[in-house]
Amino acid sequence: MILLSAQNISKTYMERKVLDDVSFFLNEGDKVGIVGINGTGKSTLLKILAGADESDKGSVTRTNGIRISYLPQIPEFDDRGRLIEQVLAHLPNDLRSSKEYEARSILGKLGLQDCDRDISSLSGGEKRRAGIASALIQPSDVLLLDEPTNHIDNETSQLLEELLLKYRGAIVMVTHDRYFLDRICNKIVEIDRGKLYSCDGNYSDHILQKAQREADAEAAERKAKSLYRRELEWISRGARARGTKSKERTERFEELKNREIPVQAESIAMQSVSSRLGKKTIEIENISKSIDGKPLITDFSYIISRDARIGIVGSNGAGKSTFLKMLCGQVTPDSGRIVLGDTVNIGYFSQECGEMDPSLRVIEYIRETADIVRTPEGTVTAAQMLERFLFNSELQWNRIEKLSGGERKRLYLLKILMQAPNILLLDEPTNDLDITTLTILEDYLRSFSGAVIAVSHDRYFLDKMASEIFEFRNGQCTRFNGNYSDYAEKVSAEERENESRPKKSSGKKERTYTGERKARFSFKEQREYETIDSDIASLEEQITAAEKDIAANASDYVKLQELSDLKTSLEAQLEEKMERWVYLNELAEKIEKERS
């Protein structure tokens, strides 16, 4: 059944046509990932589907009674108010009290234990998690998520992944997290130059199908070019006859001449731009740092090698970004010291993209760094570098304020690389960057001649770039050899070993219990136990009646849709009742055993 359809949608944003007469259909059970280069209209499409924006042309049709929950890139909260109240604010008044326990539970799992704190005290990452909780607790048939993994740590990403895998409704999400796309999605939609290209399967399937599609298009174009050359030669010699065959051949030549040439997929070219790095890089000697009495790192020493590839992980607020700021001199350690070699040239990619004057034009911003850069392939101008980063001549003269968030990130990344660093410090480089840019960045880092230290929650990115993982936890920095998957496996193995190890006695006299607490019904459970059989029988009768009505109204589409929705709702209620029936009867058996 189609839950949501958008037909012949067009949208122009900031003088750019981001969606050009496209159509999108969402069916029951669909888990759709939307991908594409920054600025192509991914978030715009999601807003139109959610009803948060309107298209210039076309229409969006939603099935009667469909419930949509939407998570924008920047969650919408009041400036002040209790966290729990803000998370529940979008719910109808009659649902808020019944949903409060679920909201507190999800917030706790997402690392927000104090649900009564003021929303104004939350960091950007914490507000992101609060937004996720707000979207998940809304009763919905469709979840629309715009970059749900941005600004959250690795553990929260994995938890969100588990929650979405259990979600029974349809999902449409914009994300660059390739593990997310692989493990959750059963359909990928790519936006490229205003058009949509759909693929059944996960992200890996999409990559294979896209490669095949491009290879087929190239093969067809080669064949057309060969045929065009032959026909051109024939036309140039002059037709020897005036018959029908000559006329048909001339028409075919005109078709070949005016054929639509396949457009090559946009890609970014990053040449390695770096300066020489001597033997001495960065030496960290017994550094410690605390903020507001909370220790972030304690007595840590390390010498960074010239070809280091270090990934840094840890929960939000653990000190990862502070560590990078200490390395580049923006923050001073409380004790210890950091010594830089004479030839060290640090390129620091901050989460905040530094200071970008929104009134500057794109090319002016880049020329602040350099007009010309030298690459292994030769000298390249600022305009040429911008072209390689998908900023065409028109975009180069746009003001920065007109760029999307992802385009600003890409522009900022280019500015950092044009400084010819030999040590790169990357603080959450994957936030807001599209998959194409990330893939090229990963390839660039593989050939980069200096050291790379990256804070990231993107597991796929860390698997591709890191050969060592630093984990920040409880004021300590622990080092692990290998990439993120190696680190995750070691941590999981250690946790399993700790769980299987018998607990040591503390020496104190511990309170012991000779038996379990007696099983008993609460008042509400007793009432529910007495009526649940009749409730289940009633739901089964209603489902049977709905099925008969569906068969009798097969030609009435509107009535059929209403009956189908009713049947789906009844089946969901029945499934929930059956789960309760199992729990209550098991509890009743325990009570009976204890009595006997």
Side-chain angles (χ1 to χ4, degrees), residues 500-512:
S500 62
R501 190 178 298 158
K503 294 181 180 179
K504 295 180 180 179
S505 172
S506 63
K508 296 180 180 179
K509 187 175 181 181
E510 297 180 353
R511 183 181 299 175
T512 58

Side-chain angles (χ1 to χ4, degrees), residues 282 284 287 304 320-333 338-340 344-350 412 423-427 453:
I282 300 178
I284 305 167
I287 64 168
I304 295 171
K320 307 184 297 295
S321 297
T322 303
F323 178 66
L324 290 191
K325 289 176 180 177
M326 285 192 286
L327 294 183
C328 66
Q330 291 190 10
V331 172
T332 305
I338 296 173
V339 182
L340 273 59
V344 167
N345 180 18
I346 291 177
Y348 173 50
F349 182 96
S350 71
Y412 179 58
I423 293 183
L424 277 173
L425 306 181
L426 307 175
D427 194 357
I453 306 172

Side-chain angles (χ1 to χ4, degrees), residues 77-129:
F77 294 117
D78 293 338
D79 293 335
R80 301 196 67 82
R82 291 168 61 227
L83 169 59
I84 188 65
E85 291 172 347
Q86 294 288 304
V87 168
L88 296 168
H90 297 292
L91 291 176
N93 290 331
D94 58 332
L95 277 180
R96 291 182 186 177
S97 59
S98 61
K99 283 285 185 177
E100 182 172 343
Y101 175 78
E102 182 184 352
R104 288 181 179 273
S105 175
I106 292 176
L107 286 169
K109 290 177 180 177
L110 294 174
L112 297 172
Q113 306 296 339
D114 184 1
C115 299
D116 296 309
R117 63 191 286 196
D118 196 275
I119 194 78
S120 62
S121 67
L122 269 61
S123 66
E126 288 172 327
K127 285 183 179 177
R128 189 73 182 161
R129 283 178 273 165

Side-chain angles (χ1 to χ4, degrees), residues 167-198:
Y167 180 72
R168 294 178 181 175
I171 299 173
V172 184
M173 62 178 173
V174 173
T175 182
H176 60 257
D177 191 316
R178 287 154 286 184
Y179 280 152
F180 241 68
L181 292 168
D182 254 352
R183 294 171 183 173
I184 294 174
C185 295
N186 56 25
K187 185 176 181 180
I188 301 294
V189 172
E190 181 176 15
I191 304 180
D192 185 17
R193 294 180 181 87
K195 299 299 183 183
L196 300 190
Y197 301 91
S198 296

Side-chain angles (χ1 to χ4, degrees), residues 438-502:
L438 285 176
T439 303
I440 302 299
L441 175 60
E442 288 157 1
D443 290 338
Y444 176 89
L445 295 180
R446 193 177 294 114
S447 62
F448 183 69
S449 58
V452 181
I453 306 172
V455 172
S456 180
H457 66 267
D458 189 317
R459 297 160 290 175
Y460 193 101
F461 175 78
L462 290 174
D463 272 349
K464 291 290 287 286
M465 66 77 54
S467 59
E468 190 172 7
I469 299 292
F470 285 10
E471 181 195 47
F472 279 69
R473 186 192 294 268
N474 299 327
Q476 299 294 324
C477 178
T478 308
R479 303 194 305 274
F480 296 83
N481 288 326
N483 60 17
Y484 182 83
S485 292
D486 298 326
Y487 151 78
E489 178 56 36
K490 289 172 185 174
V491 170
S492 179
E494 288 175 4
E495 289 175 351
R496 290 194 298 268
E497 184 179 344
N498 290 335
E499 288 174 0
S500 62
R501 190 178 298 158

Side-chain angles (χ1 to χ4, degrees), residues 220-423:
E221 177 59 14
R222 284 196 302 270
K223 184 177 179 181
K225 281 182 178 178
S226 177
L227 184 58
Y228 177 74
R229 283 194 298 270
R230 290 202 304 270
E231 295 301 304
L232 179 61
E233 184 181 348
W234 179 83
I235 288 288
S236 299
R237 288 202 310 265
R240 295 178 182 176
R242 299 290 182 183
T244 305
K245 289 185 178 179
S246 296
K247 182 179 178 182
E248 289 176 352
R249 197 163 180 179
T250 302
E251 289 175 350
R252 183 171 64 180
F253 171 77
E254 289 300 322
E255 289 176 2
L256 285 167
K257 180 181 177 181
N258 299 319
R259 74 191 185 280
E260 186 176 340
I261 307 297
V263 180
Q264 290 187 342
E266 292 184 306
S267 62
I268 297 171
M270 290 188 187
Q271 268 80 25
S272 181
V273 183
S274 60
S275 51
R276 188 186 71 84
L277 180 62
K279 290 184 179 180
K280 186 174 181 179
T281 57
I282 300 178
E283 296 180 0
I284 305 167
E285 300 176 0
N286 307 107
I287 64 168
S288 295
K289 184 67 180 179
S290 297
I291 293 181
D292 296 330
K294 177 186 176 182
L296 300 180
I297 189 167
T298 306
D299 195 27
F300 179 69
S301 298
Y302 192 75
I303 298 175
I304 295 171
S305 64
R306 295 171 62 185
D307 58 351
R309 293 293 184 273
I310 300 170
I312 300 179
V313 300
S315 60
N316 291 129
K320 307 184 297 295
S321 297
T322 303
F323 178 66
L324 290 191
K325 289 176 180 177
M326 285 192 286
L327 294 183
C328 66
Q330 291 190 10
V331 172
T332 305
D334 295 337
S335 61
R337 65 175 189 156
I338 296 173
V339 182
L340 273 59
D342 294 336
T343 60
V344 167
N345 180 18
I346 291 177
Y348 173 50
F349 182 96
S350 71
Q351 285 195 52
E352 299 80 18
C353 287
E355 293 185 5
M356 300 182 87
D357 183 349
S359 66
L360 276 180
R361 299 187 188 279
V362 169
I363 195 162
E364 292 171 344
Y365 175 75
I366 288 299
R367 281 175 174 167
E368 287 180 342
T369 300
D371 276 325
I372 295 174
V373 293
R374 299 189 182 280
T375 73
E377 289 75 23
T379 301
V380 181
T381 66
Q384 289 172 327
M385 287 296 286
L386 282 166
E387 285 277 359
R388 294 177 179 184
F389 267 59
L390 303 185
F391 292 99
N392 59 32
S393 56
E394 181 182 347
L395 275 177
Q396 289 178 24
W397 291 99
N398 271 1
R399 299 191 187 280
I400 290 174
E401 63 189 0
K402 290 187 176 183
L403 301 181
S404 70
E407 286 174 321
R408 293 188 190 193
K409 279 271 187 175
R410 195 195 311 151
L411 181 64
Y412 179 58
L413 175 62
L414 172 58
K415 189 180 182 75
I416 298 300
L417 297 180
M418 284 186 67
Q419 295 169 4
N422 47 37
I423 293 183

